[in-house]
Amino acid sequence: MRPSGRKTDQMRKVSFERNVSKHAEGSCLVKFGDTHVLCTASLEDRTPPWLRNTGKGWVTAEYGMLPRATGERMKREAASGKQSGRTQEIQRLIGRSLRAVVDLEALGERQISIDCDVIQADGGTRTAAITGAWIALHDCLKWMESRNMVKVDRVLKDHVAAVSCGIFAAQSVIDLDYLEDSSAETDANFVITGAGGIVEIQGTAEGKPFTQDEFLTLLGLAQTGISELVALQKQVIAG
């Protein structure tokens, strides 16, 4: 039995709230159970130096956890003058995941910066951030389309979402919360497009190494879960 009482293939309740930021071109508050992440998309009329005069744009991401996102207050990373390795790794993952479904030439020489701020953490913050960031990006592009800057269906090639899976108490489970994540035997994050293309897989054996059959079971759970997430994304943007 999982601590939450969920079935092995049952995700936490997922919700998306759009347009939560007055000033951002696109925004979404995503909730995976008790993990809550605010995602905002900001349009900037510039590109990184290496893309100037190439006709291509860029999508990048920043990630952070608010001081009381967890049980005890954490110091802001800005106070120490540098980001942790974990933070840098996660924001690069978010950026890679979004760029996998964006036509950078169709975007033009502009940059969209996605900020993912964890308000409350209970496991799976990076996967929630990726899934919510896609909606913020979509809405930013819709804002641009309304001003005849781009066509959304030319820039955004597909959906992308992410979910964690792992082996907890000798059973393969999806969407680990903190209690499971902190004691999982295997922990993996899957980033997959709406068409089923694999963008990235991060998998680690925290205890004994996992087998190929166990990995394929986790992949199957992730594929089913991401299909559910993409269906939710489609429902939300159609509203």
Side-chain angles (χ1 to χ4, degrees), residues 55-71:
K56 293 183 179 180
W58 192 246
V59 175
T60 188
E62 292 189 14
Y63 166 97
M65 295 182 68
L66 297 187
R68 278 315 301 265
T70 58

Side-chain angles (χ1 to χ4, degrees), residues 13-235:
K13 182 180 178 181
V14 177
S15 68
F16 304 104
E17 181 182 353
R18 299 163 72 195
N19 303 316
V20 293
S21 174
K22 175 181 179 179
H23 301 291
E25 284 77 25
S27 61
C28 174
L29 176 61
V30 56
K31 298 181 180 180
F32 276 41
D34 286 334
T35 288
H36 303 170
V37 185
L38 173 62
C39 305
T40 56
S42 301
L43 175 63
E44 300 175 88
D45 192 20
R46 65 183 183 88
T47 59
W50 70 88
L51 283 176
R52 286 176 189 162
N53 303 317
T54 64
K56 293 183 179 180
W58 192 246
V59 175
T60 188
E62 292 189 14
Y63 166 97
M65 295 182 68
L66 297 187
R68 278 315 301 265
T70 58
E72 296 182 358
R73 184 185 186 277
M74 300 175 295
K75 289 185 177 180
R76 296 181 189 273
E77 291 187 339
S80 66
K82 63 178 181 179
Q83 293 178 314
S84 68
R86 175 183 180 274
T87 294
Q88 293 182 54
E89 183 261 323
I90 291 175
Q91 62 191 27
R92 288 170 182 162
L93 169 66
I94 297 168
R96 288 194 301 270
S97 300
L98 296 173
R99 289 193 297 274
V101 294
V102 170
D103 185 329
L104 296 176
E105 289 189 355
L107 178 60
E109 290 196 27
R110 310 177 180 97
Q111 176 168 290
I112 297 176
S113 296
I114 311 290
D115 289 286
C116 299
D117 293 295
V118 180
I119 299 171
Q120 185 170 283
D122 186 37
T125 60
R126 73 186 68 195
T127 54
I130 291 167
T131 308
W134 185 91
I135 291 182
L137 173 62
H138 169 273
D139 285 358
C140 177
L141 292 169
K142 288 292 287 184
W143 183 93
M144 295 170 67
E145 184 176 68
S146 70
R147 290 156 177 79
N148 298 314
M149 300 169 72
V150 296
K151 291 288 187 182
V152 174
D153 57 2
R154 287 190 57 202
V155 178
L156 205 52
K157 300 181 289 185
D158 200 352
H159 289 250
V160 70
V163 72
S164 64
C165 294
I167 300 175
F168 171 78
Q171 55 185 354
S172 298
V173 297
I174 193 170
D175 192 23
L176 285 70
D177 57 29
Y178 178 75
L179 284 176
E180 294 171 326
D181 187 39
S182 61
S183 57
E185 299 151 40
T186 295
D187 181 25
N189 299 299
F190 296 83
V191 184
I192 299 176
T193 68
I198 295 172
V199 177
E200 190 153 342
I201 298 172
Q202 301 176 326
T204 304
E206 303 290 350
K208 68 176 182 179
F210 54 95
T211 67
Q212 178 174 314
D213 287 344
E214 287 171 329
F215 169 74
L216 292 175
T217 299
L218 296 177
L219 175 60
L221 284 171
Q223 289 170 325
T224 300
I226 286 176
S227 293
E228 295 176 13
L229 291 172
V230 168
L232 280 173
Q233 287 176 335
K234 290 179 178 179
Q235 180 181 337

